[in-house]
Amino acid sequence: MKFRRRSSRTKTWLILVLLVVILIVGLIAGFKLNSLFNNQEAGTQTSQSTTATMVKNLEKVDEHVFLNVGIQDIETRQNNLKIPWTHIGVPLTEKKAIIILNYDAKLGIKKPVKIKYNDKNQVDITVPKFDVIGVELDKKNPYQLYDDSGNILSASTKNVDTGQLVSQALSSSKQKHYLKTYKDMIQDSAKDYYTTLFKSTGKETSVKVNFE
């Protein structure tokens, strides 16, 4: 009987020791696997971003660019504190921003031309009023904040909104004067374009280009 009891106790201890060993081995293996996965994730970790886009409107247009004008524009704006109930600036409260912009103003038409065939060999083309099609920033050097400074008492002065400054500088309304400055070049470009286009249908075709 004593032998059987000792044998039973021995088996119980062996089972307990075996369970403890299995538990320890499992913990060690789990720790190593977890460390391995973490290292792999760290090596292949990527960042994700989400962009929401909404189409506000669709418009069918008949635009054609006849001239690109390369422009370097220097925009300066100043803010300062005003004496209450007046438009008089307080000395030494000025904040200033100077931005240099490089872009192309695209000049052309936004409406279709009128085409009239007088006979088999003559085409009259009437080009609508020229307009600013849009602007395109230079791809290599679009803009530069040249100066962003303030006077010694300017801590309470509102900062210059450089984003608004850029937006206003690139607005189509500001490019209107280029239509007058380069009117002859735009017309020459339009004449060359439509003459080449319609003469390609026949060498003897006579093309007359008029401008509104």
Side-chain angles (χ1 to χ4, degrees), residues 21-200:
V21 171
I22 292 173
L23 179 61
I24 293 173
V25 172
L27 290 173
I28 294 173
F31 177 78
K32 289 185 176 181
L33 287 174
N34 186 48
S35 177
L36 178 62
F37 289 145
N38 287 337
N39 290 335
Q40 289 180 346
E41 290 178 358
T44 59
Q45 185 176 358
T46 58
S47 61
Q48 296 181 349
S49 61
T50 303
T51 302
T53 304
M54 180 179 66
V55 178
K56 296 178 63 177
N57 66 290
L58 295 173
E59 181 183 2
K60 187 176 180 180
V61 296
D62 192 354
E63 297 178 342
H64 191 88
V65 177
F66 293 119
L67 191 68
N68 283 336
V69 183
I71 301 168
Q72 184 177 77
D73 191 8
I74 300 176
E75 294 289 331
T76 303
R77 180 166 297 177
Q78 301 172 351
N79 287 342
N80 64 341
L81 294 179
K82 299 291 191 298
I83 297 175
W85 304 290
T86 71
H87 295 288
I88 301 174
V90 179
L92 302 180
T93 63
E94 182 182 86
K95 280 185 178 179
K96 178 174 63 175
I98 301 175
I99 292 179
I100 301 176
L101 296 168
N102 297 290
Y103 62 93
D104 287 339
K106 298 181 177 295
L107 311 179
I109 56 175
K110 292 184 177 181
K111 298 179 181 180
V113 297
K114 297 177 182 178
I115 302 172
K116 182 180 179 181
Y117 293 89
N118 292 330
D119 54 45
K120 292 183 179 180
N121 295 325
Q122 185 173 352
V123 181
D124 285 346
I125 301 170
T126 302
V127 180
K129 184 179 178 181
F130 293 125
D131 207 338
V132 179
I133 304 299
V135 296
E136 182 179 15
L137 284 170
D138 184 84
K139 294 180 179 180
K140 294 183 179 179
N141 185 25
Y143 54 85
Q144 176 186 356
L145 181 59
Y146 180 76
D147 185 22
D148 185 12
S149 58
N151 286 333
I152 58 175
L153 301 179
S154 64
S156 300
T157 304
K158 183 180 179 181
N159 291 327
V160 175
D161 188 342
T162 54
Q164 184 184 35
L165 185 59
V166 171
S167 179
Q168 290 180 353
L170 297 178
S171 64
S172 295
S173 60
K174 189 168 183 181
Q175 319 307 324
K176 292 287 186 181
H177 66 279
Y178 291 114
L179 295 172
K180 184 177 181 180
T181 304
Y182 299 105
K183 178 181 177 181
D184 292 341
M185 293 183 66
I186 303 172
Q187 288 184 348
D188 289 342
S189 179
K191 286 180 181 178
D192 291 342
Y193 175 77
Y194 288 112
T195 300
T196 302
L197 179 65
F198 282 90
K199 277 188 172 295
S200 64

Side-chain angles (χ1 to χ4, degrees), residues 1-18:
M1 295 294 294
K2 291 181 179 181
F3 175 77
R4 289 181 179 178
R5 289 178 180 176
R6 291 179 180 177
S7 177
S8 178
R9 291 178 180 177
T10 302
K11 290 180 179 180
T12 302
W13 279 107
L14 288 175
I15 293 172
L16 291 175
V17 171
L18 182 61

